[in-house]
Amino acid sequence: MSSVIEQAVQVRLVASAPRMESVPATLRYDPRDPFAVSMSFPAPATLEGTDVSWAFSRDLLVQGLDEPAGLGDVRVRPYGYDRTVLEFHAPEGTAMMHIRTSELRRFLKRAQGLVPVGREHLHLDLDADLAELMRDAR
């Protein structure tokens, strides 16, 4: 049986206006996809008015706590004493937000408790993944 970690967090959207709006989000880690984490936002918190979820590397999140990380659609960097900036880049625009670093560390510690860094390969089911790819190819 697989344990999935979900952690509700509050993030502060960085906008051109001086006041930053706080919105709910959910961090998620599923050992069946051991290299990835996701962050989901409910419809009221998005420009499109639909639920939005971003999946990205757990290692990216770990690295971004201490130094700027990421060159693609998701970028992470430390900001001040206990804040981390997450940037999500899409064709529609960029969303930038602050999150408490302590919340990210707590989430990553829980994920590490399920799948230690460097042991992710032990949680992959390559036979099932290959079978699914073969089904999709038909």
Side-chain angles (χ1 to χ4, degrees), residues 11-23 77 79 83-87 94-99:
V11 298
R12 296 185 72 60
L13 291 176
V14 178
S16 57
R19 185 176 163 274
M20 289 191 288
E21 182 181 344
S22 183
V23 298
R77 65 178 159 36
Y79 182 81
R83 297 274 185 225
T84 299
V85 174
L86 297 168
E87 294 179 24
T94 299
M96 186 184 309
M97 56 207 60
H98 290 180
I99 185 170

mmCIF file of all heavy atoms in Angstrom, residues 11-23 77 79 83-87 94-99:
data_model
loop_
_atom_site.group_PDB
_atom_site.id
_atom_site.type_symbol
_atom_site.label_atom_id
_atom_site.label_comp_id
_atom_site.label_asym_id
_atom_site.label_seq_id
_atom_site.Cartn_x
_atom_site.Cartn_y
_atom_site.Cartn_z
ATOM 1 N N VAL A 11 0.131 30.381 0.513
ATOM 2 C CA VAL A 11 1.181 31.065 -0.236
ATOM 3 C C VAL A 11 0.732 32.497 -0.468
ATOM 4 O O VAL A 11 -0.458 32.793 -0.463
ATOM 5 C CB VAL A 11 1.505 30.352 -1.573
ATOM 6 C CG1 VAL A 11 2.017 28.950 -1.327
ATOM 7 C CG2 VAL A 11 0.301 30.325 -2.497
ATOM 8 N N ARG A 12 1.697 33.356 -0.639
ATOM 9 C CA ARG A 12 1.375 34.759 -0.904
ATOM 10 C C ARG A 12 1.780 35.081 -2.332
ATOM 11 O O ARG A 12 2.941 34.970 -2.691
ATOM 12 C CB ARG A 12 2.079 35.656 0.092
ATOM 13 C CG ARG A 12 1.543 35.363 1.499
ATOM 14 C CD ARG A 12 2.017 36.192 2.602
ATOM 15 N NE ARG A 12 1.651 37.553 2.814
ATOM 16 C CZ ARG A 12 0.433 38.048 3.003
ATOM 17 N NH1 ARG A 12 -0.606 37.273 2.912
ATOM 18 N NH2 ARG A 12 0.243 39.305 3.273
ATOM 19 N N LEU A 13 0.782 35.440 -3.125
ATOM 20 C CA LEU A 13 1.038 35.794 -4.517
ATOM 21 C C LEU A 13 1.755 37.132 -4.585
ATOM 22 O O LEU A 13 1.358 38.090 -3.919
ATOM 23 C CB LEU A 13 -0.271 35.884 -5.298
ATOM 24 C CG LEU A 13 -1.013 34.579 -5.534
ATOM 25 C CD1 LEU A 13 -2.340 34.850 -6.226
ATOM 26 C CD2 LEU A 13 -0.174 33.630 -6.356
ATOM 27 N N VAL A 14 2.809 37.193 -5.376
ATOM 28 C CA VAL A 14 3.538 38.429 -5.591
ATOM 29 C C VAL A 14 2.930 39.083 -6.826
ATOM 30 O O VAL A 14 2.886 38.482 -7.896
ATOM 31 C CB VAL A 14 5.043 38.154 -5.799
ATOM 32 C CG1 VAL A 14 5.785 39.457 -6.075
ATOM 33 C CG2 VAL A 14 5.626 37.433 -4.592
ATOM 34 N N ALA A 15 2.449 40.301 -6.663
ATOM 35 C CA ALA A 15 1.819 41.020 -7.765
ATOM 36 C C ALA A 15 2.410 42.419 -7.843
ATOM 37 O O ALA A 15 3.163 42.834 -6.961
ATOM 38 C CB ALA A 15 0.306 41.080 -7.549
ATOM 39 N N SER A 16 2.029 43.140 -8.873
ATOM 40 C CA SER A 16 2.536 44.501 -9.015
ATOM 41 C C SER A 16 1.957 45.432 -7.957
ATOM 42 O O SER A 16 2.546 46.446 -7.632
ATOM 43 C CB SER A 16 2.243 45.030 -10.424
ATOM 44 O OG SER A 16 0.859 44.956 -10.672
ATOM 45 N N ALA A 17 0.805 45.066 -7.415
ATOM 46 C CA ALA A 17 0.215 45.856 -6.329
ATOM 47 C C ALA A 17 1.039 45.647 -5.062
ATOM 48 O O ALA A 17 1.613 44.579 -4.864
ATOM 49 C CB ALA A 17 -1.231 45.428 -6.097
ATOM 50 N N PRO A 18 1.104 46.637 -4.181
ATOM 51 C CA PRO A 18 1.946 46.503 -2.996
ATOM 52 C C PRO A 18 1.487 45.408 -2.031
ATOM 53 O O PRO A 18 2.291 44.842 -1.313
ATOM 54 C CB PRO A 18 1.866 47.874 -2.327
ATOM 55 C CG PRO A 18 0.847 48.655 -3.045
ATOM 56 C CD PRO A 18 0.502 47.943 -4.308
ATOM 57 N N ARG A 19 0.210 45.102 -2.015
ATOM 58 C CA ARG A 19 -0.306 44.087 -1.095
ATOM 59 C C ARG A 19 -0.266 42.720 -1.758
ATOM 60 O O ARG A 19 -0.708 42.554 -2.887
ATOM 61 C CB ARG A 19 -1.747 44.434 -0.714
ATOM 62 C CG ARG A 19 -2.342 43.530 0.309
ATOM 63 C CD ARG A 19 -3.739 44.038 0.687
ATOM 64 N NE ARG A 19 -4.476 42.995 1.348
ATOM 65 C CZ ARG A 19 -5.193 42.069 0.718
ATOM 66 N NH1 ARG A 19 -5.277 42.069 -0.586
ATOM 67 N NH2 ARG A 19 -5.837 41.144 1.398
ATOM 68 N N MET A 20 0.264 41.718 -1.054
ATOM 69 C CA MET A 20 0.304 40.368 -1.597
ATOM 70 C C MET A 20 -0.904 39.597 -1.073
ATOM 71 O O MET A 20 -1.179 39.612 0.128
ATOM 72 C CB MET A 20 1.598 39.653 -1.194
ATOM 73 C CG MET A 20 2.814 40.194 -1.882
ATOM 74 S SD MET A 20 4.260 39.166 -1.639
ATOM 75 C CE MET A 20 4.638 39.495 0.059
ATOM 76 N N GLU A 21 -1.589 38.935 -1.968
ATOM 77 C CA GLU A 21 -2.775 38.162 -1.610
ATOM 78 C C GLU A 21 -2.371 36.762 -1.160
ATOM 79 O O GLU A 21 -1.544 36.112 -1.778
ATOM 80 C CB GLU A 21 -3.696 38.073 -2.820
ATOM 81 C CG GLU A 21 -4.976 37.338 -2.553
ATOM 82 C CD GLU A 21 -5.856 37.248 -3.781
ATOM 83 O OE1 GLU A 21 -5.633 37.998 -4.742
ATOM 84 O OE2 GLU A 21 -6.764 36.414 -3.768
ATOM 85 N N SER A 22 -2.965 36.302 -0.081
ATOM 86 C CA SER A 22 -2.713 34.954 0.420
ATOM 87 C C SER A 22 -3.735 33.996 -0.187
ATOM 88 O O SER A 22 -4.929 34.305 -0.219
ATOM 89 C CB SER A 22 -2.817 34.953 1.943
ATOM 90 O OG SER A 22 -2.525 33.689 2.446
ATOM 91 N N VAL A 23 -3.255 32.864 -0.698
ATOM 92 C CA VAL A 23 -4.143 31.871 -1.298
ATOM 93 C C VAL A 23 -3.790 30.475 -0.773
ATOM 94 O O VAL A 23 -2.638 30.218 -0.412
ATOM 95 C CB VAL A 23 -4.069 31.872 -2.852
ATOM 96 C CG1 VAL A 23 -4.504 33.205 -3.418
ATOM 97 C CG2 VAL A 23 -2.689 31.526 -3.337
ATOM 98 N N ARG A 77 13.738 29.604 -5.290
ATOM 99 C CA ARG A 77 14.902 30.259 -4.704
ATOM 100 C C ARG A 77 14.584 30.751 -3.301
ATOM 101 O O ARG A 77 13.428 31.061 -2.985
ATOM 102 C CB ARG A 77 15.397 31.395 -5.572
ATOM 103 C CG ARG A 77 14.461 32.550 -5.732
ATOM 104 C CD ARG A 77 15.104 33.648 -6.583
ATOM 105 N NE ARG A 77 14.356 34.636 -7.247
ATOM 106 C CZ ARG A 77 13.266 35.267 -6.899
ATOM 107 N NH1 ARG A 77 12.674 34.981 -5.819
ATOM 108 N NH2 ARG A 77 12.719 36.199 -7.623
ATOM 109 N N TYR A 79 14.394 33.326 -0.159
ATOM 110 C CA TYR A 79 14.094 34.761 -0.077
ATOM 111 C C TYR A 79 14.020 35.144 1.396
ATOM 112 O O TYR A 79 13.083 34.769 2.097
ATOM 113 C CB TYR A 79 12.765 35.070 -0.775
ATOM 114 C CG TYR A 79 12.406 36.525 -0.777
ATOM 115 C CD1 TYR A 79 12.965 37.399 -1.705
ATOM 116 C CD2 TYR A 79 11.497 37.034 0.141
ATOM 117 C CE1 TYR A 79 12.632 38.733 -1.714
ATOM 118 C CE2 TYR A 79 11.162 38.377 0.133
ATOM 119 C CZ TYR A 79 11.730 39.223 -0.786
ATOM 120 O OH TYR A 79 11.394 40.551 -0.794
ATOM 121 N N ARG A 83 11.526 32.474 3.949
ATOM 122 C CA ARG A 83 10.639 32.476 2.787
ATOM 123 C C ARG A 83 11.358 31.827 1.623
ATOM 124 O O ARG A 83 12.581 31.922 1.478
ATOM 125 C CB ARG A 83 10.247 33.892 2.380
ATOM 126 C CG ARG A 83 9.473 34.642 3.414
ATOM 127 C CD ARG A 83 8.006 34.343 3.302
ATOM 128 N NE ARG A 83 7.289 35.191 4.240
ATOM 129 C CZ ARG A 83 6.339 34.742 5.024
ATOM 130 N NH1 ARG A 83 5.983 33.483 4.974
ATOM 131 N NH2 ARG A 83 5.722 35.539 5.846
ATOM 132 N N THR A 84 10.580 31.190 0.795
ATOM 133 C CA THR A 84 11.072 30.631 -0.455
ATOM 134 C C THR A 84 10.161 31.147 -1.554
ATOM 135 O O THR A 84 8.943 31.234 -1.366
ATOM 136 C CB THR A 84 11.054 29.085 -0.407
ATOM 137 O OG1 THR A 84 11.911 28.655 0.654
ATOM 138 C CG2 THR A 84 11.528 28.483 -1.706
ATOM 139 N N VAL A 85 10.748 31.496 -2.674
ATOM 140 C CA VAL A 85 9.973 31.966 -3.825
ATOM 141 C C VAL A 85 9.815 30.803 -4.791
ATOM 142 O O VAL A 85 10.785 30.124 -5.133
ATOM 143 C CB VAL A 85 10.677 33.145 -4.530
ATOM 144 C CG1 VAL A 85 9.942 33.517 -5.812
ATOM 145 C CG2 VAL A 85 10.780 34.333 -3.601
ATOM 146 N N LEU A 86 8.596 30.575 -5.219
ATOM 147 C CA LEU A 86 8.288 29.614 -6.277
ATOM 148 C C LEU A 86 7.774 30.414 -7.467
ATOM 149 O O LEU A 86 6.905 31.270 -7.318
ATOM 150 C CB LEU A 86 7.214 28.625 -5.830
ATOM 151 C CG LEU A 86 7.568 27.724 -4.664
ATOM 152 C CD1 LEU A 86 6.329 27.013 -4.149
ATOM 153 C CD2 LEU A 86 8.600 26.711 -5.087
ATOM 154 N N GLU A 87 8.324 30.140 -8.638
ATOM 155 C CA GLU A 87 7.867 30.779 -9.869
ATOM 156 C C GLU A 87 7.356 29.702 -10.806
ATOM 157 O O GLU A 87 8.043 28.708 -11.050
ATOM 158 C CB GLU A 87 9.009 31.521 -10.569
ATOM 159 C CG GLU A 87 9.559 32.701 -9.836
ATOM 160 C CD GLU A 87 10.698 33.352 -10.604
ATOM 161 O OE1 GLU A 87 10.773 33.196 -11.856
ATOM 162 O OE2 GLU A 87 11.514 34.004 -9.947
ATOM 163 N N THR A 94 3.379 34.372 -15.814
ATOM 164 C CA THR A 94 4.171 33.847 -14.708
ATOM 165 C C THR A 94 3.467 34.125 -13.392
ATOM 166 O O THR A 94 2.979 35.236 -13.167
ATOM 167 C CB THR A 94 5.565 34.516 -14.683
ATOM 168 O OG1 THR A 94 6.227 34.214 -15.911
ATOM 169 C CG2 THR A 94 6.402 34.022 -13.525
ATOM 170 N N ALA A 95 3.418 33.124 -12.543
ATOM 171 C CA ALA A 95 2.905 33.291 -11.184
ATOM 172 C C ALA A 95 4.094 33.157 -10.244
ATOM 173 O O ALA A 95 4.849 32.190 -10.321
ATOM 174 C CB ALA A 95 1.851 32.241 -10.870
ATOM 175 N N MET A 96 4.236 34.145 -9.381
ATOM 176 C CA MET A 96 5.324 34.123 -8.408
ATOM 177 C C MET A 96 4.700 34.184 -7.021
ATOM 178 O O MET A 96 3.775 34.950 -6.783
ATOM 179 C CB MET A 96 6.256 35.316 -8.618
ATOM 180 C CG MET A 96 7.485 35.283 -7.745
ATOM 181 S SD MET A 96 8.547 36.750 -7.919
ATOM 182 C CE MET A 96 8.774 36.869 -9.669
ATOM 183 N N MET A 97 5.213 33.322 -6.131
ATOM 184 C CA MET A 97 4.651 33.311 -4.790
ATOM 185 C C MET A 97 5.702 33.059 -3.733
ATOM 186 O O MET A 97 6.744 32.473 -4.015
ATOM 187 C CB MET A 97 3.542 32.270 -4.699
ATOM 188 C CG MET A 97 3.932 30.883 -5.082
ATOM 189 S SD MET A 97 2.561 29.923 -5.683
ATOM 190 C CE MET A 97 2.017 30.838 -7.079
ATOM 191 N N HIS A 98 5.407 33.513 -2.533
ATOM 192 C CA HIS A 98 6.248 33.258 -1.365
ATOM 193 C C HIS A 98 5.569 32.188 -0.525
ATOM 194 O O HIS A 98 4.344 32.193 -0.376
ATOM 195 C CB HIS A 98 6.362 34.508 -0.491
ATOM 196 C CG HIS A 98 7.154 35.608 -1.096
ATOM 197 N ND1 HIS A 98 7.360 36.794 -0.456
ATOM 198 C CD2 HIS A 98 7.803 35.722 -2.285
ATOM 199 C CE1 HIS A 98 8.102 37.586 -1.204
ATOM 200 N NE2 HIS A 98 8.364 36.963 -2.330
ATOM 201 N N ILE A 99 6.374 31.306 0.026
ATOM 202 C CA ILE A 99 5.881 30.281 0.936
ATOM 203 C C ILE A 99 6.883 30.188 2.086
ATOM 204 O O ILE A 99 8.080 30.423 1.900
ATOM 205 C CB ILE A 99 5.693 28.920 0.212
ATOM 206 C CG1 ILE A 99 5.060 27.896 1.135
ATOM 207 C CG2 ILE A 99 6.998 28.431 -0.387
ATOM 208 C CD1 ILE A 99 4.633 26.611 0.424
#
